[in-house]
Amino acid sequence: MNPYVQRLIELYSQHANHEKAKWAKDYMRNQFDFLGIPSPLRRTLNKQFMKEHGVPAGSFLKKVVVACWELPEREYQYAALDLLLKNKETVTPDDMRWLEGLLVKKSWWDTIDVLSPHVIGSMLVRFSELIPGYPEKWINNENIWMQRSAILYQLYYKEKTDEERLYRYILHRANSDEFFVQKAIGWALRQYARTAPVSVKSFVLAHELKPLSRREALKHIG
């Protein structure tokens, strides 16, 4: 076991709570096991842990993140995401392959919605040459989490949003019956409407979107 991860396991184990773990597992539809550490406490523990043991970088970051991803309790994936957020400005194209792997392993909205817009989205601003090899392929993948990732990676781009690409991806999956894809479409449009409300409203009115996507997209612009 990686010594860094082993120390994290020892710390988290001290704060496990069976009742909270059961509640969290039920809330997440029994997708994952939990230790039962509430998010505010986990963030406090992580902050202190990183202060004492440092923040992994480079190849060591990959080893720690992958090791945390292998552990059964969901809090360890959250810890990995915290480390990635600390490193989001330093990851490079060499990291893209293994980061992509995280999208399709133990996938659910809670990990995708950090990885795609915050970690990978940040990288693709700096290395846009990666887009054809990743999001452009994800939107055509039958894995719904890849589709969601393709739709959401520009979530916080504001005026840097590639509007043509965003709308094209949305139209490609507009007929999806998957809740998490419909929700991603609505969320992406609602967020972009903060920057380009006229464009978003025109797009929504001109195309057939699922009711959930449409409702979410127009939530703040009528």
Side-chain angles (χ1 to χ4, degrees):
M1 173 64 70
N2 184 301
Y4 188 95
V5 177
Q6 184 60 51
R7 287 192 289 267
L8 183 65
I9 292 172
E10 292 168 2
L11 174 64
Y12 274 19
S13 297
Q14 296 171 19
H15 298 274
N17 183 303
H18 177 72
E19 290 186 5
K20 288 184 172 63
K22 184 179 183 304
W23 179 90
K25 186 172 183 177
D26 290 343
Y27 176 74
M28 295 295 282
R29 303 182 187 177
N30 296 309
Q31 294 289 320
F32 311 101
D33 290 325
F34 284 81
L35 291 168
I37 303 175
S39 293
L41 174 58
R42 179 181 53 78
R43 293 188 186 102
T44 298
L45 293 174
N46 287 353
K47 184 177 180 180
Q48 185 60 36
F49 184 84
M50 286 186 277
K51 184 177 180 180
E52 292 179 5
H53 302 288
V55 180
S59 61
F60 188 46
L61 173 68
K62 175 184 176 182
K63 291 178 181 178
V64 170
V65 168
V66 171
C68 285
W69 225 261
E70 294 294 333
L71 294 170
E73 292 85 8
R74 197 58 165 171
E75 285 89 347
Y76 294 114
Q77 282 89 72
Y78 297 158
L81 292 173
D82 287 343
L83 292 174
L84 285 170
L85 288 173
K86 285 285 187 181
N87 281 278
K88 69 177 184 177
E89 299 300 329
T90 64
V91 289
T92 72
D94 291 338
D95 298 302
M96 194 62 176
R97 182 62 66 185
W98 66 268
L99 288 173
E100 180 186 48
L102 301 181
L103 295 175
V104 294
K105 191 167 187 179
K106 298 187 177 179
S107 310
W108 202 246
W109 63 264
D110 54 343
T111 53
I112 296 298
D113 294 358
V114 177
L115 285 169
S116 176
H118 291 287
V119 180
I120 293 174
S122 175
M123 183 193 289
L124 293 176
V125 168
R126 293 178 289 122
F127 303 103
S128 60
E129 67 274 13
L130 295 173
I131 293 171
Y134 292 93
E136 194 70 27
K137 292 183 178 179
W138 300 343
I139 198 63
N140 293 304
N141 196 295
E142 290 309 305
N143 184 306
I144 66 167
W145 302 111
M146 300 294 269
Q147 296 168 21
R148 185 176 173 97
S149 298
I151 293 165
L152 292 182
Y153 85 89
Q154 297 192 81
L155 192 64
Y156 302 113
Y157 278 20
K158 298 181 180 179
E159 65 280 351
K160 294 181 180 178
T161 299
D162 182 337
E163 183 176 284
E164 182 279 329
R165 188 181 300 276
L166 174 64
Y167 290 167
R168 177 162 52 85
Y169 286 6
I170 286 170
L171 290 177
H172 190 58
R173 293 299 174 183
N175 292 323
S176 174
D177 291 324
E178 292 287 350
F179 170 83
F180 289 110
V181 175
Q182 292 181 30
K183 191 76 171 180
I185 289 171
W187 187 15
L189 289 171
R190 186 176 76 243
Q191 189 69 18
Y192 185 48
R194 297 175 183 272
T195 299
V198 174
S199 175
V200 169
K201 187 169 185 177
S202 296
F203 174 80
V204 173
L205 294 178
H207 298 92
E208 290 290 331
L209 300 178
K210 294 286 187 176
L212 173 60
S213 299
R214 182 186 182 90
R215 185 169 62 250
E216 288 292 314
L218 298 177
K219 200 168 190 176
H220 301 304
I221 57 176

